[in-house]
Amino acid sequence: MWKQLEMGLRAFLLIASRIWTCLCFTLRKQTRAIIQHQSVKYDLFPLSPLSRHRLSIVKRKVLVLDLDETLIHSHHDGVVRQTVRPGVPPDFILKVTIDRHPVRFFVHKRPHVDFFLDIVSQWYELVVFTASMEIYGAAVADRLDAGRGILQRRFYRQHCTPDFGSYTKDLSAICNDLSSVFILDNSPGAYKAYPDNAIPIKSWFSDPTDMALLNLLPVLDALRFTADVRSVLNRNLHLHRLCGTGGMSMGSPRTRLDAANIKPKTDLESLAESLVTRVEENSSDKQFNSDNSNSSSKDKRFKSRIPQRMCN
């Protein structure tokens, strides 16, 4: 009797624990969905007269945008990457023909990308620059633009520079004035020739709670007021090195100083060191002369004690 009751209680607890686990999983899934699709606001306050005057005297900047793993993530037929969970529906599907073979791309948009493009298109001239093929990149850009006309200028793989199996992007081909152009890209190797004109961003694959694009809005809001974007973005060099490259070789003097955590000496510091060195040299010379004079006087006294015939 007691044994049967104990077995029944264990079975009940096992079933209850499984039901509780299933409910918790469903609740977490619904919470992620709510967070991903919740309404987001970034208040655009009216500019003061001083801010409007500042914008009128500086050039309108150009923001270059990468596509894959920066604004979107995609995979094609027969390839399911581990970073994309099976069963996650794509935001849209592209059907393109590559080498006479039809290929379907399942494209996932980074969270808040549409809102991000709506806001930054009011501040900057937007340019798409991707290392992907034009037939694919153009289709993705068309879907992101959605008829708004904010992604008119586009550059593709044929505009990149091959670099040992990868591609680098020449920002000077987009804008001759490098003080007014910068790129948002997840790959530091793509902009290694222009580290002072880049904002690094973490690669995105499938995280529905990602907030990277929203976190950039305050920075981009302020950056449009600068006369030279490099005066601000060159402070991000340590982030590029953490991502795998600093845009400079380790043999360059500037990088060696940064790697050793040594700051270049100012003119005053160099002058002070030279003065200290001179003082030390003078004191050592005086000490040396005094030692020589003492030794010569000792020699004279010693010679005075020696008989004259021994000195001769």
Side-chain angles (χ1 to χ4, degrees):
M1 179 70 180
W2 288 104
K3 195 171 184 179
Q4 293 179 354
L5 182 61
E6 183 180 358
M7 292 178 61
L9 183 60
R10 287 183 178 179
F12 172 77
L13 292 177
L14 180 61
I15 295 174
S17 64
R18 291 184 177 179
I19 294 175
W20 177 254
T21 302
C22 183
L23 290 175
C24 291
F25 175 78
T26 305
L27 181 61
R28 287 196 299 267
K29 186 176 180 180
Q30 293 297 326
T31 302
R32 287 196 299 267
I34 293 173
I35 293 175
Q36 180 179 1
H37 297 97
Q38 66 182 352
S39 59
V40 179
K41 292 180 60 178
Y42 183 80
D43 295 326
L44 298 176
F45 297 101
L47 296 178
S48 65
L50 182 61
S51 297
R52 288 197 297 268
H53 174 69
R54 176 63 181 175
L55 279 179
S56 66
I57 62 177
V58 297
K59 292 182 61 176
R60 182 177 173 87
K61 310 297 188 299
V62 179
L63 173 56
V64 183
L65 298 170
D66 177 49
L67 290 181
D68 290 287
E69 281 69 65
T70 298
L71 299 183
I72 58 100
H73 172 69
S74 68
H75 58 89
H76 56 81
D77 284 320
V79 176
V80 179
R81 301 185 182 181
Q82 296 180 355
T83 52
V84 178
R85 294 182 179 179
V88 177
D91 290 288
F92 55 89
I93 300 175
L94 297 177
K95 297 179 181 180
V96 298
T97 302
I98 301 177
D99 295 334
R100 299 181 180 180
H101 296 285
V103 181
R104 291 191 306 170
F105 286 92
F106 303 90
V107 184
H108 302 260
K109 294 194 294 186
R110 192 167 195 155
H112 316 297
V113 63
D114 293 324
F115 179 78
F116 174 81
L117 293 176
D118 279 336
I119 298 298
V120 297
S121 62
Q122 303 177 43
W123 302 336
Y124 300 96
E125 176 188 351
L126 301 184
V127 177
V128 171
F129 202 160
T130 176
S132 301
M133 293 182 294
E134 182 174 357
I135 191 172
Y136 162 79
V140 173
D142 287 339
R143 297 299 294 266
L144 292 178
D145 186 278
R148 292 174 291 182
I150 59 177
L151 300 176
Q152 295 293 328
R153 297 183 61 191
R154 303 171 184 179
F155 294 80
Y156 307 101
R157 179 175 295 180
Q158 64 266 28
H159 303 107
C160 298
T161 303
D163 183 25
F164 298 102
S166 61
Y167 296 94
T168 60
K169 301 174 182 179
D170 184 9
L171 297 184
S172 63
I174 298 175
C175 181
N176 293 327
D177 185 7
L178 292 179
S179 66
S180 301
V181 60
F182 62 100
I183 186 172
L184 177 65
D185 201 313
N186 69 299
S187 175
Y191 54 78
K192 65 180 182 180
Y194 304 93
D196 294 344
N197 296 80
I199 296 180
I201 188 171
K202 182 181 178 181
S203 298
W204 179 82
F205 297 96
S206 62
D207 181 14
T209 63
D210 182 82
M211 302 284 286
L213 293 178
L214 293 182
N215 293 337
L216 283 175
L217 288 179
V219 178
L220 297 176
D221 192 359
L223 195 60
R224 59 188 174 132
F225 291 93
T226 61
D228 190 338
V229 296
R230 295 170 295 185
S231 63
V232 177
L233 298 183
N234 61 7
R235 304 180 184 183
N236 279 333
L237 294 181
H238 66 287
L239 295 180
H240 304 315
R241 285 195 292 272
L242 290 177
C243 292
T245 178
M248 298 180 293
S249 63
M250 287 305 295
S252 63
R254 181 175 179 180
T255 310
R256 286 200 300 268
L257 289 172
D258 292 340
N261 198 19
I262 301 174
K263 296 182 179 180
K265 297 175 182 177
T266 61
D267 295 338
L268 290 177
E269 291 175 345
S270 301
L271 179 60
E273 286 194 358
S274 63
L275 290 176
V276 171
T277 304
R278 290 180 183 178
V279 171
E280 291 178 350
E281 289 177 352
N282 292 335
S283 61
S284 61
D285 291 340
K286 290 180 180 179
Q287 182 67 28
F288 178 76
N289 294 333
S290 62
D291 292 341
N292 288 339
S293 61
N294 292 335
S295 61
S296 61
S297 61
K298 288 180 181 179
D299 291 341
K300 290 180 181 178
R301 289 196 300 270
F302 179 74
K303 287 182 179 180
S304 62
R305 296 193 189 100
I306 300 176
Q308 189 67 24
R309 60 178 179 271
M310 294 183 64
C311 293
N312 295 331

